[in-house]
Amino acid sequence: MILPIYTYGHPVLRKVAQDIPTDYPDLDQLVKDMYETLDASSGVGLAAPQIGKSIRVVVIDLDVLKEDFPEYAGFRHAYINPHIIELDEKSKKETMEEGCLSIPGLSENVARYSRIHVQYLDESLQPHDEWVEGYLARVMQHEFDHLEGVLYVDRVTPFRKQLIRNKLRGIMQGKFNCSYRVKTIRK
């Protein structure tokens, strides 16, 4: 089922998400719904808070980027109870443009570490403890930020934040266009 994506200003996007028990009811269906919602919105990642659930579940699909990143062909994974354990501060920070399904029509340059240490459960509830680098590390940082109540606009410079303030206010007021279902604070 395609779910609405909660947009900027919704309180659930600012809550710290909770770990879920391994017997969380209908987890398989939730993950399927999140993939379907991600596909319908043409995104690369979706965190549970973006669909109104303050729990630590993320889906990432990098297969859509295989033209530019052939190493991600077929890459489609769910992350249950993910946590960033460490940012490799010796790795260089890279700045790239980021957008977000919860902030339609806006993108900004964000600096992120190129290597991170993460722990999570996969869809089969098997534990993983690994170092991740490159573009996947960037996407994980963006999506896992959602689980901490942090949005990418919180990571832009104060000057840029001031420049986009009116656009963010417009999103809160429902003044935007996008091709996927959303839930604004006004609905």
Side-chain angles (χ1 to χ4, degrees), residues 1-2 10 25 56 61 73 80 86 92 101 128 139 187:
M1 172 176 30
I2 298 172
H10 232 288
R56 299 187 78 86
D61 183 352
I80 314 301
E86 182 180 358
K92 74 175 188 180
L101 297 172
H128 294 264
V139 175
K187 282 187 189 177

Side-chain angles (χ1 to χ4, degrees), residues 4 6 20 30 82 101 130 140 149 164:
Y6 286 52
I20 61 170
L30 173 64
L101 297 172
E130 58 195 33
M140 282 181 159
I164 63 175

Side-chain angles (χ1 to χ4, degrees), residues 151-185:
L151 301 172
Y152 83 88
V153 293
D154 301 330
R155 298 200 179 276
V156 301
T157 65
F159 177 70
R160 286 301 306 161
K161 185 90 176 220
Q162 186 67 23
L163 290 176
I164 63 175
R165 188 182 77 228
N166 288 337
K167 289 181 182 178
L168 292 171
R169 189 176 297 125
I171 291 170
M172 287 176 65
Q173 295 169 350
K175 297 176 182 174
F176 61 87
N177 291 313
C178 65
S179 60
Y180 47 89
R181 288 181 55 206
V182 297
K183 183 168 177 65
T184 66
I185 58 174

Side-chain angles (χ1 to χ4, degrees), residues 2-155:
I2 298 172
L3 305 167
I5 294 175
Y6 286 52
T7 58
Y8 184 83
H10 232 288
V12 71
L13 295 175
R14 293 303 189 173
K15 290 182 180 174
V16 175
Q18 299 299 308
D19 280 345
I20 61 170
T22 54
D23 62 349
Y24 186 83
D26 300 318
L27 179 60
D28 288 343
Q29 187 60 50
L30 173 64
V31 168
K32 286 177 188 169
D33 291 346
M34 288 178 71
Y35 278 132
E36 194 173 339
T37 302
L38 183 63
D39 293 343
S41 59
S42 301
V44 296
L46 184 68
Q50 293 180 275
I51 57 164
K53 296 186 177 299
S54 190
I55 57 174
R56 299 187 78 86
V57 179
V58 167
V59 296
I60 295 176
D61 183 352
L62 297 183
D63 184 65
V64 296
L65 303 174
K66 63 186 168 199
E67 300 269 331
D68 295 325
F69 299 96
E71 66 271 26
Y72 294 127
F75 187 96
R76 189 171 167 104
H77 294 283
Y79 300 88
I80 314 301
N81 296 336
H83 292 272
I84 295 175
I85 303 305
E86 182 180 358
L87 300 168
D88 183 357
E89 295 180 5
K90 293 178 184 173
S91 71
K92 74 175 188 180
K93 265 189 161 179
E94 295 179 352
T95 300
M96 289 180 69
E97 190 172 4
E98 289 186 20
C100 180
L101 297 172
S102 292
I103 308 175
L106 191 63
S107 60
E108 290 292 325
N109 286 324
V110 178
R112 303 238 187 227
Y113 287 100
S114 60
R115 187 169 182 260
I116 61 173
H117 178 201
V118 297
Q119 291 178 345
Y120 62 91
L121 302 175
D122 62 23
E123 288 178 76
S124 302
L125 302 176
Q126 296 303 305
H128 294 264
D129 184 327
E130 58 195 33
W131 283 91
V132 178
E133 54 190 56
Y135 193 74
L136 177 58
R138 168 171 292 278
V139 175
M140 282 181 159
Q141 287 171 82
H142 177 107
E143 297 305 329
F144 295 1
D145 268 357
H146 278 294
L147 305 177
E148 302 300 330
V150 175
L151 301 172
Y152 83 88
V153 293
D154 301 330
R155 298 200 179 276

